Amino acid sequence: MLNLVEKLIIITNNPLSKEFFNDKYEVQFINGSLMDVLIKVRDLIHKGYVLLTHPLMGSVKPNQTPYKTVAISKLPKDKTDEQSVLVIENSIQTAQKLIKSKPYKKWPEEVLEDFRVIDLELIKSIF
Amino acid sequence: MRLELGNIFIKDLQFGPETKVEKGILYVNKEELLKEVSGDEKVKSIDFDIVHPGDSARIIPVKDVIEPRVKVEGKGGIFPGFISKVDTVGSGRTNVLKGAAVVTTGKIVGFQEGIIDMSGEGAKYTPFSKTHNLVITCEVNDDVKQHEHEEAIRMIGLKAAAYLGKAGKDVQPDEVKTYETLPLLEQVKKYPNLPKVVYVYMLQSQGLLHDTYVYGVDAKKIIPTFIYPTEVFDGAILSGNCVSACDKNPTYVHLNHPIIEDLYDRDGKDINFLGCVITNENVYLADKERSSNCTAKLVEFLGADAAIISEEGFGNPDADLVMNCNKIEEKGIKTVLVTDEYAGRDGASQSLADSTPKGNAVVTAGNANELVVLKAMDKVIGHPEAANIIAGGYSGSLRPDGSIEAELQVITGCTSEVGFNYLSAKGF
């Protein structure tokens, strides 16, 4: 469960997450791929933001679901958080490996909706 | 805590006028079973099928597999917190219909995988091709949300297994196995010269369709705690996990936990098995820190010399596995990790999403990215349209003859991260 004093920013390419979090937290919506979200998160981590949720949450693999929502700290620290760097770099490497091994397919709209729901529900589990 | 498991070997499963076990055959009265499991307004229809090992049949997408069991002596009942009250289970006698299983199918989300083939190449990879399966297909109303859908099917499966289990209540078992764990100080004294081993039992708990329950409690809300291994044999831990077919632990696997059984086999011979520490795999990184801190503290407090740690799932749980390993090793306690791999088609890529130099003893249950060809089957039970989505989607491709080329990860239980599977490597 989320520490009540924790303030956060939501980085997402999932329209459902954007809609859900918009009036509660700062949301940075990425009009792009799952990998674009991970790279944005990595860039912010190098600026001192701390990763709060695991970027590979869920058993739905990064080459299955096109959607990803990640929470990071509201304020950057003076120093880059090493643990956050490790987790995001490992996650990017893993996602790249799986996408290279088997790229995304074109899913029907109802399946895409399921992916959006799962992504939102998993991130909601921290609150 | 001492539990006797009375195994009644089931050689066949048939529909009949009365639900009973006779001469190793489990007969099921369909109408009575339907009455037992129905009543949920969200459910539109329920169908039953029976499949046997060797049949040209495919079940897809599998949600859960459950073994019928019944409490014969001792406190509480099977599946506490759901079917029975929350008495502490794990003592007395439990009868098991060994060889029978309830398989639930449910297309809760469109991308769901989970295949059990009862014959052919696919059958070699799933332990549930060897059981006589009562398959429950249930459809829900259109307005039912995913989490309600999961809950409805989960409850139907548990009710069906509990109902079938009752048929074994007054049957003389073919074999009786006894498992016992004493309160800690007595257990330590029992084999004072043997290394003390704790099993760190990681439970999938990331959220919707990724849940596990402990005495009815959602595992994401627990802090790590001690559990007697025999409690698991009575259904204290059960699955609400629908995703990642190959390496999720169906309820059947929790009930027949191979790591716990193996540790009991060696208890008093070359180890002293102290019991289990259960912990979770949450999404929030602070939860991971808290849970791994508590786990390491508890393993140390129990006085363990070594810990076996297994994970459930891939990606996010790899981080929990590594944290548990690091923190337990830092206390001077040796660890062995159990996992599976997503190492690419050729098995040459990095297997996990996280790693640690302290993870120097690791058992793998296989590479989920390996390819397999599943032949066409005469009968497809469940939601055949799911096969088209899997075949047309990420995991495989449908061939003109109806066979499917897919990664092993679509097969239920094939790379079980507690070792309830067949993949292995042998040296010659």
Side-chain angles (χ1 to χ4, degrees):
Chain A
M1 294 294 115
L2 191 69
N3 179 345
L4 289 175
V5 297
E6 199 106 65
K7 295 202 167 57
L8 52 82
I9 303 172
I10 298 285
I11 317 284
T12 186
N13 68 342
N14 178 357
L16 276 188
S17 294
K18 183 188 170 192
E19 193 187 315
F20 183 83
F21 289 111
N22 234 354
D23 56 354
K24 301 176 184 74
Y25 297 102
E26 179 185 336
V27 176
Q28 292 196 18
F29 185 75
I30 309 290
N31 197 4
S33 67
L34 174 143
M35 194 53 85
D36 293 334
V37 173
L38 298 188
I39 286 166
K40 177 73 184 172
V41 170
R42 181 192 66 188
D43 292 350
L44 290 169
I45 285 170
H46 282 282
K47 286 180 181 164
Y49 292 88
V50 179
L51 189 63
L52 297 182
T53 60
H54 200 287
L56 296 181
M57 66 175 184
S59 295
V60 188
K61 310 293 177 300
N63 55 342
Q64 287 173 297
T65 178
Y67 299 105
K68 185 57 70 184
T69 303
V70 182
I72 61 166
S73 63
K74 172 86 176 165
L75 297 170
K77 289 185 174 172
D78 299 337
K79 209 174 131 202
T80 303
D81 182 64
E82 274 182 37
Q83 181 66 19
S84 298
V85 172
L86 267 176
V87 174
I88 189 67
E89 290 294 349
N90 279 333
S91 300
I92 289 174
Q93 208 178 38
T94 302
Q96 276 169 339
K97 172 191 77 184
L98 290 175
I99 293 167
K100 191 177 155 202
S101 158
K102 185 86 183 177
Y104 295 105
K105 288 275 183 173
K106 195 170 161 50
W107 295 98
E109 179 50 34
E110 66 268 25
V111 175
L112 289 174
E113 179 62 16
D114 285 337
F115 281 131
R116 290 192 281 266
V117 169
I118 292 284
D119 177 66
L120 171 62
E121 289 298 324
L122 293 185
I123 202 82
K124 269 165 69 181
S125 77
I126 75 167
F127 296 97
Chain B
M1 191 174 277
R2 184 173 187 271
L3 180 72
E4 290 178 356
L5 284 184
N7 289 323
I8 301 160
F9 298 135
I10 300 299
K11 297 176 293 196
D12 196 4
L13 172 60
Q14 299 175 12
F15 291 119
E18 188 191 344
T19 299
K20 62 178 178 183
V21 176
E22 200 174 75
K23 292 179 182 160
I25 302 171
L26 172 59
Y27 297 94
V28 182
N29 177 320
K30 228 180 186 177
E31 289 70 35
E32 211 176 277
L33 173 63
L34 182 63
K35 215 171 132 190
E36 193 73 25
V37 303
S38 56
D40 188 334
E41 287 170 0
K42 297 184 281 294
V43 176
K44 195 161 61 179
S45 68
I46 299 174
D47 285 309
F48 303 119
D49 272 287
I50 288 174
V51 290
H52 305 282
D55 285 359
S56 178
R58 170 168 297 148
I59 314 167
I60 181 171
V62 173
K63 185 202 174 295
D64 199 8
V65 186
I66 310 160
E67 185 168 58
R69 294 187 170 205
V70 64
K71 206 87 194 111
V72 179
E73 287 168 27
K75 265 194 178 175
I78 220 76
F79 305 129
F82 286 101
I83 299 297
S84 307
K85 291 184 177 172
V86 292
D87 292 313
T88 301
V89 291
S91 59
R93 158 81 75 87
T94 298
N95 278 358
V96 182
L97 301 187
K98 189 60 66 191
V102 170
V103 177
T104 49
T105 82
K107 198 170 76 85
I108 297 163
V109 284
F111 51 84
Q112 214 168 322
E113 302 172 339
I115 295 176
I116 294 175
D117 278 357
M118 298 305 290
S119 60
E121 190 64 16
K124 294 179 190 167
Y125 291 95
T126 175
F128 308 113
S129 62
K130 309 292 185 292
T131 44
H132 299 276
N133 298 327
L134 179 95
V135 187
I136 307 179
T137 308
C138 98
E139 307 287 352
V140 295
N141 297 323
D142 294 341
D143 58 347
V144 172
K145 297 276 183 212
Q146 289 92 338
H147 69 276
E148 296 171 321
H149 192 166
E150 187 280 323
E151 188 186 10
I153 300 180
R154 170 160 36 92
M155 287 311 296
I156 286 171
L158 295 175
K159 283 178 185 170
Y163 167 78
L164 294 185
K166 282 181 198 157
K169 193 166 169 79
D170 299 318
V171 177
Q172 191 61 35
D174 297 294
E175 69 170 13
V176 176
K177 288 185 170 178
T178 304
Y179 301 91
E180 185 170 29
T181 302
L182 298 174
L184 182 64
L185 299 185
E186 291 171 46
Q187 182 68 37
V188 169
K189 266 191 239 160
K190 195 175 176 188
Y191 307 116
N193 300 318
L194 294 178
K196 299 181 288 297
V197 178
V198 164
Y199 171 42
V200 175
Y201 188 171
M202 292 172 55
L203 307 174
Q204 177 62 261
S205 62
Q206 297 183 69
L208 179 65
L209 310 188
H210 294 71
D211 287 317
T212 305
Y213 297 90
V214 182
Y215 282 96
V217 176
D218 183 343
K220 81 167 75 64
K221 294 175 182 165
I222 65 165
I223 57 166
T225 189
F226 179 83
I227 192 161
Y228 278 101
T230 52
E231 293 177 69
V232 175
F233 295 154
D234 276 343
I237 297 176
L238 57 86
S239 171
N241 184 5
C242 308
V243 193
S244 199
C246 65
D247 57 13
K248 72 176 178 184
N249 294 329
T251 300
Y252 192 102
V253 172
H254 289 295
L255 291 166
N256 288 276
H257 203 301
I259 293 176
I260 293 176
E261 286 186 355
D262 285 357
L263 287 169
Y264 266 129
D265 274 349
R266 304 205 18 200
D267 185 41
K269 291 177 189 155
D270 53 359
I271 60 163
N272 186 348
F273 179 30
L274 301 183
C276 309
V277 170
I278 53 168
T279 182
N280 49 20
E281 304 172 345
N282 289 4
V283 165
Y284 186 38
L285 296 175
D287 284 348
K288 294 181 185 303
E289 288 292 351
R290 184 189 303 114
S291 288
S292 53
N293 289 342
C294 287
T295 298
K297 182 179 68 180
L298 196 47
V299 171
E300 178 190 44
F301 179 73
L302 293 168
D305 300 303
I308 313 286
I309 312 173
S310 69
E311 69 168 329
E312 182 180 0
F314 158 85
N316 174 35
D318 298 346
D320 300 276
L321 183 73
V322 162
M323 283 184 186
N324 285 327
C325 170
N326 282 339
K327 291 176 186 179
I328 293 170
E329 287 271 345
E330 277 160 17
K331 291 184 181 293
I333 300 163
K334 289 183 164 53
T335 61
V336 176
L337 313 182
V338 191
T339 179
D340 65 348
E341 302 179 57
Y342 287 78
R345 297 285 165 80
D346 58 1
S349 305
Q350 174 78 21
S351 303
L352 301 180
D354 202 354
S355 63
T356 169
K358 292 191 169 72
N360 52 14
V362 182
V363 179
T364 176
N367 177 17
N369 291 136
E370 227 174 273
L371 284 178
V372 64
V373 175
L374 306 172
K375 66 171 188 175
M377 292 282 160
D378 294 344
K379 187 175 180 183
V380 179
I381 305 170
H383 300 78
E385 69 276 17
N388 296 330
I389 290 178
I390 289 175
Y394 154 80
S395 295
S397 56
L398 193 62
R399 293 171 162 191
D401 64 355
S403 62
I404 297 172
E405 186 184 68
E407 292 188 346
L408 283 182
Q409 62 174 310
V410 304
I411 301 176
T412 297
C414 131
T415 59
S416 161
E417 291 173 288
V418 292
F420 199 81
N421 63 337
Y422 297 122
L423 290 173
S424 66
K426 286 176 186 166
F428 293 97

